[in-house]
Structure formats: C-alpha cells, structure tokens
Amino acid sequence: MMFRPMLFAAASLLALAGPAPAADLVIAMPNWPSGQASANILKFAIAKEFGLDAEVREVGTMLAFAGMDSGEIAAVPEVWQPNFDDLVKRYGPDGSKSVVLSHLGVAAWQGLCATSDAAAAGIKDVADLSDPAKTALLDTDGDGTGEIWIGASTWTSTGIERVRANSYGYASSVTLVEAEEDVAMAAVDAAVATGRPMVFYCYAPHHIFNLHDIVRLTEPPYDPAKWKIVPQSEDPLWISKSSAPVAWGPVEFHIAYSAAFAAKHPDVAAFLEKVDFKPDEISAMSYALQVDRQVPADFAKAWIETNGGRVDGWRH
C-alpha cells in the first residue's frame, strides 16, 4: 500500500527534527481575566526587549510559587496580598528566599457587593445577610434560601470568604456558591438585566464597575486583632479554625519572580521591577477579555504595539 512508505518517511523526518525546542522561560498565568492579559503582556514584552521566548502556562498561584522555588517557573503577574501572604513568607525574605516580589504594586480591594436592585431592597450592610427575609430575595433556585457567589473553588480568597461568612453568621442564612468567574459575571449581567437582586464577592480593579451600578456592602472596619486566618498549608481544617468578622484589610498585588531566574537573567528581573500597571489598565484588561471576549495573546500583542515606548522604558 502506497501510504505506508509515506508515513514512514514522515515519521523519519519528525525523528530527525527532534522535539520542539523548549521556551526560554515560563510565565504562570492565573485563571482570572486581568492575570491572563498581564501574563501575555509580559510574554510579548520580554520577547520584544530581550529576544527570549516565554511560554505562558495556566498554573494556580500555590503551584506557581513551588515552580518559582524549583526554578521551573520564572514569574507570576499577579500575587495578591494578603491572600497569599503565607506563600510570600514561606518563599520570600522570611523563608527560602527563592521568590522575589517586585517593589511596585497595584492598589486593590476585596469585599462583598450588591446590585442596585439588592441595595434598593435593603441589602446594604453585611448584617443584612443574616436576615432571612432579605436573603430570600437572593433565591434563584426556588428553595427559599438565597445564594451568594464567593469566588472560584481554586482561589484562596474563596476560602477566606467562607471564613468571613462563618464569622459574620450569614453562612447559615444563604447558600455559598463557588463557580468560575465568567459564570458568576454572566449571572451578574443577567441579574441586572432582569432586576433580580444579587450579592456576590467582588474585587477591584475589575470591569464590572464599568458595566453596572454596583454597591459595596458596608462592614465593620478591618481589625488585625480580629483577622485570624490559619495558613492553608498548615492545617486542612484551616477554614473552620479561622475567624474574620471584619472587612478585608489593605490589598495590593505584585509581580513575583524566581530568584534563580533573576540570577540567570538580572536584566529581565530589573525589567520586571519597573512594570507599572495602573488600576484602570487592569480594569481595561478585564473588560477586554471578559466582555469583548478578546483572546489574551491577541490583546497583549495589540497592547504592546500601543505602548511600545512605555515598554522600552521599563528596560532603562
């Protein structure tokens, strides 16, 4: 049969060609929109400035820190604090010193938000979530109990939101829902469009505040003496053993990079130290990917073209 020699010839050519060359570095990509965009921006910016080929790989933050510790992963674009303080302490200056946080950070915040319809119905403060008459308005499946989205199952913040729900007491009044962010944001869009009240975990910078009239629930102010989060790595029962009956404290996120990678490529490490994304840019990244459905790599290439001079400045 004639196709067999052709197959053998093709196989021989592939064998001679060998495996595809490995990338020069790996950038860990989070599973939220701005993290996906910024990871790709770093990929193409590093290629532009240093001629290095970066692989963008979707990796959870905990695994990304282990990868930076081993040298397999070079950088992570968004490390949120205090969410990942445990990892920062373990691998940073107080621990193995294998991971470095860039000095420049992006100011952020986290909490609970309500649609304008939920606020109009009287859900304005976290204490309102313990009132069954009010939380019944959040019911979407007809069981009489309201639902609140608290984040994706892989996010550390989701566990902390479960701790806060337990600490405030509203965990017994509502169903805490874990789902991917795109599913939750579609639910917010639908709730606003139909006038149905909805309460959900929220963070900023984020595009949702450019789309809808969203109200942040008021809470008791942050008190470090009351914020008792047991590190997840220390105890599998960390959620039940933690307590946080107050608002989140100061929040920011940074680029993190491997100390081993920095020793090998100090010029790239210096470049990462100068990356200065602004909150409104982070929101725009989120909007482009979540609302406009842009492909992260395509968005990043266009962003580099538009901001070429600025990217050059990060090198000098």
Side-chain angles (χ1 to χ4, degrees):
M1 298 175 68
M2 293 299 296
F3 65 88
R4 283 190 176 177
M6 295 174 65
L7 283 175
F8 290 143
S12 298
L13 287 172
L14 287 173
L16 288 173
D24 297 309
L25 65 147
V26 176
I27 297 173
M29 182 176 68
N31 67 342
W32 54 87
S34 63
Q36 294 172 333
S38 55
N40 278 275
I41 288 173
L42 293 183
K43 167 187 169 70
F44 293 111
I46 289 172
K48 177 180 186 294
E49 299 297 327
F50 304 98
L52 297 175
D53 176 38
E55 173 193 348
V56 172
R57 184 186 302 170
E58 186 166 322
V59 180
T61 305
M62 293 183 69
L63 290 177
F65 266 79
M68 288 188 288
D69 181 58
S70 68
E72 180 183 359
I73 290 176
V76 182
E78 290 189 20
V79 173
W80 284 65
Q81 293 180 284
N83 309 40
F84 296 108
D85 277 353
D86 177 41
L87 294 176
V88 172
K89 291 176 181 177
R90 194 189 327 166
Y91 295 106
D94 298 332
S96 66
K97 299 180 176 60
S98 59
V99 175
V100 180
L101 281 190
S102 67
H103 288 88
L104 295 178
V106 178
W109 60 261
Q110 302 174 80
L112 292 167
C113 286
T115 59
S116 58
D117 293 292
I123 304 177
K124 299 179 180 180
D125 187 88
V126 69
D128 296 321
L129 299 179
S130 296
D131 182 344
K134 291 181 178 179
T135 56
L137 300 172
L138 308 177
D139 179 24
T140 61
D141 57 12
D143 67 352
T145 301
E147 298 88 39
I148 294 178
W149 178 68
I150 58 171
S153 60
T154 56
W155 296 355
T156 300
S157 61
T158 303
I160 296 175
E161 282 302 315
R162 198 170 284 279
V163 169
R164 284 166 21 91
N166 292 338
S167 301
Y168 279 128
Y170 63 82
S172 60
S173 304
V174 300
T175 299
L176 304 176
V177 177
E178 298 182 14
E180 292 302 313
E181 182 175 11
D182 57 347
V183 174
M185 293 303 101
V188 174
D189 293 339
V192 171
T194 59
R196 177 177 56 80
M198 182 175 176
V199 172
F200 56 98
Y201 163 74
C202 54
Y203 64 91
H206 196 278
H207 74 273
I208 197 68
F209 302 99
N210 302 114
L211 279 180
H212 305 302
D213 182 13
I214 302 298
V215 179
R216 185 176 179 182
L217 298 190
T218 55
E219 302 183 48
Y222 171 71
D223 182 345
K226 296 180 179 179
W227 187 270
K228 303 295 184 182
I229 302 297
V230 176
Q232 183 176 359
S233 61
E234 294 182 5
D235 195 326
L237 300 177
W238 71 281
I239 291 177
S240 62
K241 294 181 179 180
S242 297
S243 179
V246 292
W248 286 81
V251 180
E252 61 183 8
F253 58 87
H254 298 252
I255 293 173
Y257 56 89
S258 163
F261 175 80
K264 184 177 180 181
H265 294 284
D267 51 349
V268 180
F271 175 84
L272 294 174
E273 285 286 353
K274 294 183 180 179
V275 175
D276 58 347
F277 293 131
K278 304 296 189 295
D280 60 337
E281 291 177 314
I282 297 296
S283 294
M285 293 176 194
S286 177
Y287 192 100
L289 271 60
Q290 191 76 52
V291 181
D292 294 337
R293 312 309 293 179
Q294 293 189 39
V295 176
D298 294 342
F299 171 83
K301 290 175 184 177
W303 195 94
I304 294 293
E305 286 186 14
T306 302
N307 296 275
R310 182 174 166 201
V311 173
D312 292 340
W314 292 343
R315 188 175 182 179
H316 305 291

